[in-house]
Amino acid sequence: MRILVCDDQDAIRSMIETLVAASGHQVTGVASGAQAVERAVTERFDVLLLDLLLPGALDGFEVCRRLRAEESTRSLPILVLSALDDAETRQTAMEAGASGFHAKPFNPVHLLREIDGLADVGQHS
């Protein structure tokens, strides 16, 4: 699977990229919401792993909204990975178009299991 990782913190993005790549996936990392939207719209990815707290005009919520508004990315699974873990944040993320939510620090096994589950769904659709 091709996975896009968007996190503005280099160390966290690198750790997520390494984790996902070690499971046999192709990974592309970006540091801003604008980069995530641009890459997701111009290239084909199977999953977006997205932080909510991003610098600039496009935070994670806005990235979700923009990708859901685009025909080519409307059905792209978006898994949020965020340090913000309260009911309101989760609800806002899901309303913006997130497919799933993992609180940081997230459980790597659970994240990889969800990614693999999305791969299974994609093969059967």
Side-chain angles (χ1 to χ4, degrees):
M1 290 178 68
R2 292 196 69 219
I3 299 178
L4 180 59
V5 176
C6 179
D7 196 304
D8 62 309
Q9 294 184 30
D10 293 342
I12 293 174
R13 187 176 62 253
S14 177
M15 183 271 300
I16 295 168
E17 289 174 13
T18 301
L19 171 74
V20 175
S23 297
H25 302 292
Q26 286 183 291
V27 184
T28 299
V30 295
S32 74
Q35 290 173 317
V37 170
E38 180 182 333
R39 296 294 291 266
V41 169
T42 59
E43 300 175 44
R44 190 191 152 278
F45 290 96
D46 299 300
V47 180
L48 168 59
L49 302 181
L50 178 66
D51 186 21
L52 291 178
L53 295 176
L54 298 170
L58 299 183
D59 63 10
F61 300 110
E62 189 58 28
V63 169
C64 286
R65 289 183 194 103
R66 293 215 181 169
L67 293 178
R68 291 301 175 238
E70 289 284 334
E71 181 79 33
S72 63
T73 54
R74 192 161 290 141
S75 62
L76 174 68
I78 301 172
L79 302 181
V80 168
L81 306 175
S82 180
L84 296 175
D85 185 27
D86 57 81
E88 184 179 341
T89 299
R90 283 178 177 260
Q91 180 177 348
T92 303
M94 300 310 274
E95 288 172 354
S99 310
F101 194 105
H102 293 262
K104 290 179 183 174
F106 59 88
N107 181 316
V109 173
H110 292 168
L111 178 63
L112 292 172
R113 190 176 297 144
E114 185 162 3
I115 290 169
D116 290 341
L118 292 169
D120 293 341
V121 169
Q123 291 170 357
H124 300 301
S125 59

